[in-house]
Amino acid sequence: MYDFEIRHPPDAGGHFNGFGGKYAAETLMGPLAELEAAFYASWEDPEFQAERLRLLQQYAGRPTPLYHARRLSEEIGGAQIVLKREDLAHTGAHKINNTIGQALLAKRMGKKRVIAETGAGQHGVASATVAAMFDMQCDVYMGREDMRRQAPNVFRMELLGARVIPVDSGTATLKDALNEALRDWVASCENTFYIIGTVAGPHPYPLMVRQYHVVIGQEARAQSLEQFGRLPDMAIACVGGGSNAMGLLHPLRDDDIRLVAVEPAGYGLDGDDHAASLAAGRPGILHGNLTYLLEDDEGQIKGTHSISAGLDYPGVGPELAAMYEAGRLELETADDNEALQAFSRLSLCEGILPALESSHALAAAMRLAAKMKPEQMLLVNLSGRGDKDLDTVMQKTKEDAT
Amino acid sequence: MYDFEIRHPPDAGGHFNGFGGKYAAETLMGPLAELEAAFYASWEDPEFQAERLRLLQQYAGRPTPLYHARRLSEEIGGAQIVLKREDLAHTGAHKINNTIGQALLAKRMGKKRVIAETGAGQHGVASATVAAMFDMQCDVYMGREDMRRQAPNVFRMELLGARVIPVDSGTATLKDALNEALRDWVASCENTFYIIGTVAGPHPYPLMVRQYHVVIGQEARAQSLEQFGRLPDMAIACVGGGSNAMGLLHPLRDDDIRLVAVEPAGYGLDGDDHAASLAAGRPGILHGNLTYLLEDDEGQIKGTHSISAGLDYPGVGPELAAMYEAGRLELETADDNEALQAFSRLSLCEGILPALESSHALAAAMRLAAKMKPEQMLLVNLSGRGDKDLDTVMQKTKEDAT
Amino acid sequence: MSLDRLKNCFERCAAENRAALVGYLTAGDPNPAASEKLLDVLASHVDIVEIGMPFSDPMADGPTIQAASERALAAGTRMRDVFHIALSVRKAHPAAGIVLMGYANVAFAMGYEYFAEQAALAGVDGVLIVDIPPEEAGDFTRALKAHKLCGIRLVAPTSSTARRKLAAEIADGFIYYVSLNGITGAEMGEISEIRTQVDALRQQAKLPICVGFGIKTPEQAHAVAAFSDGVVIGSHFVNCITAHEDNEPAMLSELDKTCAAMRAAMRKGGVGED
Amino acid sequence: MSLDRLKNCFERCAAENRAALVGYLTAGDPNPAASEKLLDVLASHVDIVEIGMPFSDPMADGPTIQAASERALAAGTRMRDVFHIALSVRKAHPAAGIVLMGYANVAFAMGYEYFAEQAALAGVDGVLIVDIPPEEAGDFTRALKAHKLCGIRLVAPTSSTARRKLAAEIADGFIYYVSLNGITGAEMGEISEIRTQVDALRQQAKLPICVGFGIKTPEQAHAVAAFSDGVVIGSHFVNCITAHEDNEPAMLSELDKTCAAMRAAMRKGGVGED
Ligand SMILES: Cc1ncc(COP(=O)(O)O)c(C=O)c1O
Ligand SMILES: Cc1ncc(COP(=O)(O)O)c(C=O)c1O
């Protein structure tokens, strides 16, 4: 099911067709080189891989199931919708695949402390989780605004022994938390490992995080063949930074399968209240890599909006930008309301509460499935569970009632 | 891994060494007979079993992992503690094993409506979940007091399309919800299937729910042999009604393994503020079966207390009573504080937030492991995840701080 | 003795061309002292007094009788109060049938044998335990028989032919036909359907057949009286207590009136039958 | 031209037996008009003016300079304001070195070529982009060279020997040695350690070496001046703005005093060295 070949690697500088790279402060160039060397060495080390797989299976609950949503597919009357159940992974989202990999690498590099940025709190929780297991100190940067919105995840992190550090600068959300984590790392890189939460940041992060997540697509591919005797016609995932998307789609890249990324259209693509970096942005440089960004005409990064905190980010992983420009990635968007409707529909039809992030993928999937034939198959990455979003949905339901 | 033999069946009347039986109102005796026949027939039906297994695997995420808690074991310095990760099952607890089974049976019996009682809300959520998937109407009875304490689970059920019906009678908690569900069923049995949430109630429920949960122990047994080349020396589970306990322990009953049930000692066994039916109760008749109950000298059922709503029940499944009296089940208790400490310890040591119910099993496990040797192995049923308990723990933490 | 007394009740009624009136109140509701007086009033109207033993978890009862149980227990009612009340009814109404009704755990907690002994000493004629079906009744029935108490059996619409036969075989005193699938106090079922069922049951059972659950008006009672041997009224009588919280004289007088009206409805034939 | 001017700055300082004072302010802070005056004051004291280009996400800066960026952007500062301020410094202070400092995306959004052209027209001598390391600098360096602008390079304590050599090779104007692993405004590292590093760096680089990050007092500045070619003061000057919100005269006069004190500390030898 799993294989360790690094397919479609970036160039030596970490560029995917020009995107990506290492746009970092000089202080970080040394640590990044060290990290890169350690990553490649560990990737070739069978013991490291065995331990990583052991934890993915026995700790994180991999493989996650592939589930044919029969009732939903029937109601839609188009393609068969099949869900990759990352919502069942430990801590409730795909994020744990990555934090297990990075924490193991941190341990191998002898780092006693890890830091992370978080928006919705899922990556923060996944980082705090592995830090607890590996007995490492863990500080998580989180925008003060996000801390308010996602209070239960803040408490989860604290229960796991992590310190959550509020970030007040800028828009006090995810991008500012990332800035703040980078500032910490510049000063602490000797003893600290920075666990980035998505396929962004300077090389080798986008590659590394992708490699830690390709288990999703590798499993889905094998499960699809085993359970249905075929591969899907289309695979689809939501995109915040793009880690769940790359995890699912990258291993399917060389197959004859349409690959679709879904960006959050927030209140709509007309104004600025969305976070659709590929659909509405342009190439720029932020957080260590060259990629599509939402920015003004002078390169100032824009504030974003999405109902799902995990997609509320003005950039996108560089490899997605490259695949998009190469025509290997189709683009869809779903706005707040469509995501909420998809959330509700999956809950009512299949008894699964999806994360609001994943609900974006579902919204687009339902739209696309309706135009496909019942003998076709559409694979959706259900990247996380919706329990964390209950407050948001509850509030929205209340607002709509009045 | 799985087998379908019904081991240690009750007698024809549903008695386990005198415990159990069918102490039901005459109106229910017909429906119970019908249910019994349908259950046995379905159990022999390979198609039914295949569909049940398919859903357990592809929908609920079975097998759940068996995880060696290395850091915790090391810190304790005694037996190796190994966790059966029911917390990773869909909806966050073992409860889904049972609701999948019963909902499939309901479908087979042509029932279009299901009802359920719930305390913590976990069984209610698991019932609402399968009802959504099978397109059945679902009404869940829940004590008004529990609805207040477990508001997020109430909202989860509503999102899944279920109606949550508040129960004000008696103590307005789980036992009263069960009374109310029975009252509904008496009036609605023609078109309604009552999904009981634990190994209690009139025959065939204790047998049926046990059989739907033995996948837990069957998997754990096979995984233990595969991962560690041996069986555990001891297996341990918390007991509310006893479904997660029977699920884990029953398949190990014929092995040379010590089996331990952990009851909630609440504020302590001295007063009435606990729910340790086996440890502090005596045989009596409630909710359709003869079993150990917490009652006064005249058979009036006592109010109970446990910090974990899922253990807050004055009875216990009859088969546990029988195994206890036969000496095949050892008894331990853990009070509220011990459970909270275990909750915190597992969170900090292993990055796993356990349900407060499961924390009782963990508390006892840590105590017992400390007296065992490092080459011994102790298997704990981690019956659910602690996310649902954040409010309780947060409040308790706040109280302790002041 | 007990067997005879219930038999006599039905024979007396038959002779008077009416159905027996079976009246239920929960012992100790709203408190033991008031309850004693209420049951005295009840017994002065009905043929058979059904005395409810309060229980913390009355699963087969609707809100009215649940609340009665809660009031009785809150007022400190214990089994000795229940037996005391039964005994005082017995003393004041030597010919009345007295039946204890309740849930298994109360009898089980006392021990079936001791329970039966105490019931017999209190002058009780029969016992109806909602959640001890024939399948589980072995020890319990033996204890009752040893003390010459009737084990009353329920038959429900859902009872199979085999179960009806079984009930008919092992029952003593009378058969209690539950007129609806549901709990006490719910809406009564279709009269014609109940009649069909009762008529059919007569083919299997030689015992008198009483019909209960959900009968609330004299009109309903009269209609049921036409084809049954007895009519059980429960929630409707308990409501006399509920309606006059803390006002004992009002309870007593309303119960008196309500019982009288029901008693009048027991005659066979006449207005209600047209 | 530009290459020469920076070179001349350092030669002049060397002749005067002092280190060059390099002073940083964010362009447009607290607003474009006030900023123009503040930079004029700054330029009247320092040898090299470092003009920060405000950016929404200044990842390498501490709270002081972050806030400066936020103030400037909130006041509507755009790149044309940055260039306008540079040009007015150039006009009033023909001999001053002028260096633009900032983040990649601002230059990238303009296009490196157009950015370099505009900078050159504004009389800028050199550019330092925090997040364009040598590895990514190809196009950018070419654009600078085409307009005779110096590409300033940073060297950090974490920079490997190979990287130091690389920086020395491709840098123009001067080398900026970051005296600590951290962000602007943090606590300065150990003086002796910094000295060791700078001395070693001299073996690899022929360019002048300036030291910055965390220097806040004239004493620290004086100590660093002893072994470096230039001392960069940033957050300390920005604090003059922060301390007098909305009071422009107070800002200007405090900046004037603060700059003078730092300028005095630049002399080699003397009190600070004892
Ligand atoms: C469940 C879930 N899905 C998706 C995302 C978006 O991240 P990415 O695009 O890296 O998968 C997040 C981020 O928090 C998440 O929690
Ligand atoms: C996680 C968890 N464990 C245990 C229990 C107790 O039930 P049982 O004893 O039937 O396993 C519950 C009940 O809600 C539960 O949610």
Side-chain angles (χ1 to χ4, degrees):
Chain A
M1 175 137 61
Y2 305 117
D3 87 67
F4 302 128
E5 193 189 325
I6 297 184
R7 296 223 165 72
H8 300 279
D11 71 16
H15 303 94
F16 301 92
N17 235 340
F19 292 101
K22 258 189 196 176
Y23 291 86
E26 177 61 26
T27 311
L28 291 181
M29 294 304 283
L32 286 170
E34 194 195 330
L35 176 64
E36 190 183 338
F39 167 68
Y40 281 114
S42 69
W43 196 259
E44 300 300 325
D45 177 353
E47 253 178 64
F48 181 92
Q49 295 289 32
E51 178 67 357
R52 190 171 66 87
L53 273 194
R54 184 186 74 82
L55 288 171
L56 285 175
Q57 292 170 339
Q58 294 170 21
Y59 183 69
R62 305 213 70 85
T64 59
L66 191 67
Y67 170 68
H68 178 192
R70 291 187 186 175
R71 207 187 140 197
L72 180 67
S73 307
E74 240 164 65
E75 283 202 4
I76 288 172
Q80 301 308 309
I81 295 178
V82 164
L83 307 175
K84 181 60 176 162
R85 298 289 304 277
E86 294 299 298
D87 62 309
L88 294 179
H90 184 46
T91 70
H94 68 292
K95 298 281 179 191
I96 191 81
N97 301 326
N98 172 41
T99 60
I100 284 178
Q102 292 200 44
L104 266 176
L105 189 55
K107 193 179 146 198
R108 183 185 168 97
M109 293 174 74
K111 309 283 184 187
K112 293 272 180 252
R113 173 176 179 259
V114 297
I115 56 172
E117 85 292 341
T118 199
Q122 286 304 109
H123 174 59
V125 167
S127 297
T129 293
V130 294
M133 188 186 42
F134 285 126
D135 198 8
M136 291 165 172
Q137 190 191 334
C138 177
D139 289 339
V140 179
Y141 289 93
M142 189 168 186
R144 174 127 15 218
E145 182 53 24
D146 287 337
M147 283 179 72
R148 198 187 52 71
R149 288 192 290 187
Q150 312 278 337
N153 268 348
V154 174
F155 190 57
R156 279 169 91 192
M157 289 184 260
E158 287 170 352
L159 287 171
L160 293 162
R163 191 165 52 137
V164 183
I165 304 174
V167 174
D168 287 309
S169 59
T171 56
T173 59
L174 177 54
K175 81 172 173 65
D176 309 287
L178 220 155
N179 291 337
E180 211 53 44
L182 281 169
R183 287 175 189 128
D184 180 315
W185 199 39
V186 167
S188 66
C189 46
E190 264 173 67
N191 72 340
T192 295
F193 190 104
Y194 178 17
I195 302 184
I196 292 188
T198 191
V199 286
H203 180 66
Y205 281 102
L207 169 68
M208 195 163 77
V209 177
R210 180 245 275 181
Q211 285 307 114
Y212 291 148
H213 276 303
V214 287
V215 289
I216 303 172
Q218 290 177 353
E219 285 172 9
R221 200 177 182 287
Q223 289 166 324
S224 183
L225 289 171
E226 191 195 314
Q227 292 174 210
F228 310 112
R230 52 165 301 185
L231 291 179
D233 299 283
M234 186 187 281
I236 188 164
C238 69
V239 173
S243 66
N244 89 86
M246 288 313 287
L248 181 75
L249 304 181
H250 201 269
L252 307 177
R253 195 171 160 172
D254 300 324
D255 294 302
D256 181 21
I257 298 175
R258 288 170 63 188
L259 307 182
V260 182
V262 185
E263 292 194 314
Y267 295 141
L269 293 184
D270 299 343
D272 277 344
D273 290 324
H274 60 78
S277 316
L278 286 172
R282 57 171 185 162
I285 296 164
L286 183 71
H287 294 150
N289 63 95
L290 196 163
T291 188
Y292 272 68
L293 299 176
L294 292 170
E295 54 176 38
D296 69 13
D297 59 340
E298 296 223 315
Q300 305 296 342
I301 306 305
K302 282 186 184 174
T304 52
H305 164 79
S306 168
I307 191 164
S308 73
L311 302 183
D312 208 353
Y313 179 71
V316 63
E319 194 173 7
L320 283 110
M323 283 173 70
Y324 172 56
E325 289 214 339
R328 186 62 189 99
L329 193 63
E330 299 173 42
L331 213 56
E332 293 282 332
T333 64
D335 67 20
D336 286 1
N337 281 331
E338 290 169 314
L340 280 166
Q341 278 161 21
F343 177 98
S344 169
R345 186 129 188 218
L346 193 73
S347 304
L348 291 173
C349 260
E350 295 289 349
I352 300 171
L353 304 182
L356 279 176
E357 290 80 9
S358 324
S359 300
H360 286 75
L362 283 166
M366 292 178 198
R367 205 162 54 210
L368 292 166
K371 294 184 221 141
M372 294 165 72
K373 298 197 202 77
E375 58 274 19
Q376 288 186 293
M377 185 173 140
L378 197 167
L379 168 64
V380 187
N381 200 358
L382 197 72
S383 55
R385 60 170 135 96
D387 301 58
K388 69 179 180 59
D389 297 314
L390 287 186
D391 283 353
T392 306
V393 174
M394 213 181 303
Q395 205 169 315
K396 197 79 190 160
T397 311
K398 227 182 285 167
E399 274 169 36
D400 290 354
T402 57
Chain B
M1 175 134 64
Y2 305 116
D3 87 66
F4 302 128
E5 193 190 324
I6 297 183
R7 296 224 166 72
H8 300 281
D11 71 15
H15 303 93
F16 301 92
N17 235 341
F19 292 101
K22 256 188 197 174
Y23 291 86
E26 177 61 26
T27 311
L28 291 180
M29 294 303 284
L32 286 169
E34 194 196 334
L35 176 64
E36 191 183 338
F39 167 69
Y40 280 115
S42 69
W43 196 259
E44 299 301 324
D45 177 354
E47 254 179 63
F48 181 92
Q49 295 289 31
E51 178 66 358
R52 190 171 65 88
L53 272 195
R54 184 185 74 83
L55 288 171
L56 286 174
Q57 293 171 338
Q58 295 170 20
Y59 183 69
R62 306 211 70 86
T64 59
L66 191 68
Y67 170 68
H68 179 193
R70 291 186 187 175
R71 208 187 139 196
L72 180 67
S73 306
E74 241 164 64
E75 282 203 3
I76 288 172
Q80 300 308 308
I81 295 178
V82 164
L83 306 175
K84 181 60 175 164
R85 299 288 304 277
E86 294 299 300
D87 62 310
L88 294 179
H90 183 47
T91 70
H94 67 293
K95 298 282 181 191
I96 191 82
N97 301 328
N98 172 41
T99 58
I100 284 178
Q102 292 199 45
L104 266 176
L105 189 54
K107 194 178 146 198
R108 184 186 168 97
M109 292 173 75
K111 310 284 183 186
K112 293 272 179 249
R113 174 177 179 257
V114 296
I115 57 173
E117 85 292 342
T118 198
Q122 286 304 107
H123 173 61
V125 168
S127 298
T129 293
V130 292
M133 188 187 42
F134 285 127
D135 198 8
M136 290 167 173
Q137 189 192 334
C138 177
D139 288 338
V140 179
Y141 289 93
M142 189 168 186
R144 179 143 349 234
E145 182 55 24
D146 288 337
M147 283 179 72
R148 197 188 51 73
R149 290 192 288 188
Q150 312 278 337
N153 268 347
V154 173
F155 190 57
R156 280 170 90 192
M157 289 184 260
E158 288 171 351
L159 287 170
L160 293 162
R163 189 166 54 139
V164 183
I165 303 174
V167 174
D168 287 310
S169 59
T171 55
T173 60
L174 177 56
K175 81 173 173 66
D176 309 287
L178 220 154
N179 291 338
E180 211 53 43
L182 281 169
R183 287 175 190 129
D184 180 316
W185 201 39
V186 167
S188 65
C189 45
E190 264 172 67
N191 72 338
T192 296
F193 190 105
Y194 178 17
I195 302 184
I196 291 187
T198 190
V199 286
H203 180 66
Y205 281 102
L207 169 68
M208 196 163 75
V209 177
R210 180 245 276 181
Q211 285 307 114
Y212 291 146
H213 276 303
V214 287
V215 289
I216 303 172
Q218 289 176 356
E219 285 172 10
R221 199 175 182 288
Q223 289 166 323
S224 184
L225 289 171
E226 191 194 314
Q227 291 174 212
F228 310 111
R230 51 164 302 187
L231 292 179
D233 298 283
M234 186 188 281
I236 189 165
C238 69
V239 174
S243 67
N244 89 86
M246 288 312 288
L248 181 75
L249 305 181
H250 201 268
L252 307 176
R253 194 171 163 173
D254 299 324
D255 293 302
D256 181 22
I257 298 174
R258 286 171 63 188
L259 307 181
V260 182
V262 186
E263 292 194 312
Y267 295 141
L269 292 184
D270 300 342
D272 277 344
D273 290 325
H274 61 78
S277 316
L278 286 172
R282 57 171 184 161
I285 295 164
L286 182 70
H287 293 150
N289 63 94
L290 197 163
T291 188
Y292 272 68
L293 299 176
L294 292 170
E295 54 175 37
D296 70 12
D297 59 340
E298 297 221 317
Q300 305 296 343
I301 305 305
K302 283 186 183 174
T304 52
H305 164 78
S306 168
I307 192 166
S308 72
L311 302 183
D312 208 353
Y313 179 72
V316 62
E319 193 173 7
L320 284 109
M323 283 173 69
Y324 172 57
E325 288 214 339
R328 187 61 189 98
L329 193 64
E330 298 174 43
L331 214 57
E332 292 282 332
T333 63
D335 67 20
D336 285 2
N337 283 330
E338 291 168 312
L340 280 166
Q341 279 161 21
F343 177 98
S344 170
R345 186 131 189 217
L346 192 73
S347 304
L348 292 173
C349 260
E350 296 288 350
I352 300 171
L353 304 182
L356 278 176
E357 290 80 11
S358 324
S359 299
H360 286 76
L362 283 165
M366 292 178 196
R367 205 162 56 209
L368 292 166
K371 294 184 220 141
M372 293 165 72
K373 299 196 202 77
E375 58 275 17
Q376 290 185 292
M377 185 174 141
L378 198 168
L379 167 65
V380 186
N381 200 358
L382 198 71
S383 54
R385 60 171 136 94
D387 301 57
K388 69 180 180 61
D389 297 314
L390 287 186
D391 282 353
T392 306
V393 174
M394 213 181 303
Q395 203 170 317
K396 197 77 190 164
T397 311
K398 228 182 288 168
E399 274 171 34
D400 291 355
T402 57
Chain C
M1 261 264 312
S2 313
L3 283 144
D4 291 343
R5 193 150 37 214
L6 287 177
K7 203 167 157 220
N8 292 343
C9 280
F10 288 104
E11 283 172 4
R12 202 160 54 236
C13 292
E16 294 174 14
N17 194 31
R18 60 181 182 85
L21 177 59
V22 185
Y24 172 96
L25 285 178
T26 303
D29 174 30
N31 58 63
S35 179
E36 194 172 334
K37 293 180 212 162
L38 286 159
L39 273 148
D40 184 50
V41 170
L42 183 71
S44 67
H45 291 284
V46 306
D47 302 291
I48 298 172
V49 183
E50 211 176 290
I51 302 180
M53 302 182 283
F55 182 50
S56 54
D57 294 80
M59 292 153 290
D61 287 299
T64 302
I65 297 184
Q66 283 173 47
S69 247
E70 283 182 23
R71 280 192 301 266
L73 291 174
T77 307
R78 294 179 53 84
M79 280 306 289
R80 69 171 180 214
D81 301 305
V82 175
F83 292 124
H84 170 79
I85 289 169
L87 188 60
S88 80
V89 170
R90 169 56 60 235
K91 283 181 178 161
H93 307 275
I98 301 181
V99 170
L100 288 182
M101 183 161 185
Y103 291 85
N105 203 44
V106 170
F108 186 84
M110 287 186 73
Y112 291 152
E113 167 56 33
Y114 183 58
F115 169 81
E117 179 190 294
Q118 291 295 306
L121 286 176
V124 167
D125 303 307
V127 180
L128 196 175
I129 300 291
V130 176
D131 53 351
I132 302 189
E135 287 85 341
E136 304 289 356
D139 290 347
F140 185 60
T141 305
R142 265 187 294 284
L144 294 185
K145 280 202 195 303
H147 293 277
K148 302 212 161 47
L149 292 163
C150 296
I152 317 285
R153 285 279 133 220
L154 290 153
V155 167
T158 54
S159 302
S160 61
T161 315
R163 293 189 65 77
R164 285 168 196 235
K165 203 176 274 173
L166 179 63
E169 273 166 33
I170 68 164
D172 282 323
F174 61 90
I175 286 182
Y176 188 139
Y177 181 71
V178 175
S179 60
L180 56 88
N181 285 343
I183 50 179
T184 56
E187 287 308 309
M188 202 180 71
E190 273 293 321
I191 282 282
S192 60
E193 171 61 19
I194 299 172
R195 175 169 207 154
T196 310
Q197 296 275 347
V198 170
D199 289 348
L201 198 52
R202 279 203 197 287
Q203 309 305 312
Q204 300 178 296
K206 290 198 187 70
L207 286 174
I209 298 173
C210 296
V211 175
F213 272 47
I215 301 171
K216 282 173 200 148
T217 66
E219 290 71 29
Q220 291 172 327
H222 184 65
V224 172
F227 54 82
S228 68
D229 304 305
V231 178
V232 189
I233 309 289
S235 303
H236 184 59
F237 289 159
V238 173
N239 272 331
C240 299
I241 303 175
T242 318
H244 300 280
E245 222 187 314
D246 293 334
N247 185 344
E248 208 180 286
M251 281 176 207
L252 289 165
S253 86
E254 175 150 356
L255 180 66
D256 192 51
K257 268 187 289 182
T258 308
C259 288
M262 280 296 177
R263 169 70 186 232
M266 288 303 105
R267 73 198 173 287
K268 302 235 177 203
V271 188
E273 271 260 277
D274 300 332
Chain D
M1 262 263 311
S2 314
L3 282 144
D4 292 344
R5 193 149 38 215
L6 286 176
K7 204 169 158 218
N8 292 343
C9 280
F10 288 105
E11 282 172 5
R12 203 160 55 235
C13 292
E16 295 172 15
N17 193 32
R18 59 179 182 86
L21 178 58
V22 184
Y24 171 97
L25 283 179
T26 302
D29 174 30
N31 58 64
S35 179
E36 195 171 336
K37 294 181 212 162
L38 287 159
L39 273 147
D40 184 51
V41 170
L42 182 72
S44 66
H45 291 283
V46 306
D47 302 290
I48 298 173
V49 183
E50 211 176 290
I51 302 179
M53 301 181 284
F55 182 49
S56 54
D57 294 81
M59 293 151 289
D61 287 299
T64 303
I65 297 184
Q66 282 172 49
S69 247
E70 284 182 22
R71 280 193 300 267
L73 291 174
T77 308
R78 297 179 52 85
M79 281 306 288
R80 67 172 182 213
D81 302 305
V82 175
F83 292 124
H84 170 79
I85 289 168
L87 188 61
S88 78
V89 170
R90 170 56 61 238
K91 285 180 179 161
H93 309 274
I98 301 181
V99 169
L100 287 182
M101 182 160 185
Y103 292 84
N105 202 45
V106 169
F108 185 84
M110 287 185 73
Y112 292 153
E113 168 55 32
Y114 182 59
F115 169 82
E117 179 190 295
Q118 292 294 305
L121 287 175
V124 167
D125 303 307
V127 180
L128 196 174
I129 300 292
V130 175
D131 51 352
I132 302 188
E135 287 85 342
E136 305 288 355
D139 290 347
F140 185 60
T141 306
R142 262 186 296 284
L144 294 184
K145 279 204 194 304
H147 294 276
K148 302 211 161 46
L149 292 164
C150 296
I152 317 285
R153 285 277 133 220
L154 291 152
V155 166
T158 53
S159 302
S160 62
T161 317
R163 294 190 63 77
R164 286 167 198 237
K165 202 175 276 170
L166 179 64
E169 273 166 31
I170 69 165
D172 284 323
F174 59 90
I175 285 181
Y176 187 141
Y177 181 72
V178 174
S179 60
L180 55 86
N181 285 344
I183 50 179
T184 56
E187 286 309 310
M188 202 181 70
E190 272 293 321
I191 282 282
S192 61
E193 171 61 19
I194 299 171
R195 175 169 207 150
T196 310
Q197 296 276 346
V198 170
D199 289 350
L201 199 52
R202 280 203 196 287
Q203 309 305 313
Q204 299 179 296
K206 290 196 189 70
L207 287 174
I209 298 173
C210 296
V211 175
F213 272 47
I215 301 171
K216 284 174 200 145
T217 65
E219 291 70 29
Q220 290 172 330
H222 185 67
V224 172
F227 55 83
S228 67
D229 304 305
V231 178
V232 188
I233 310 288
S235 303
H236 184 59
F237 288 160
V238 173
N239 273 331
C240 299
I241 303 175
T242 318
H244 300 280
E245 221 187 314
D246 294 335
N247 185 345
E248 207 179 287
M251 282 176 204
L252 290 165
S253 86
E254 174 150 357
L255 181 65
D256 191 52
K257 270 186 289 183
T258 309
C259 287
M262 280 297 177
R263 170 68 185 232
M266 289 302 104
R267 72 197 174 286
K268 303 236 177 203
V271 188
E273 270 263 276
D274 299 332

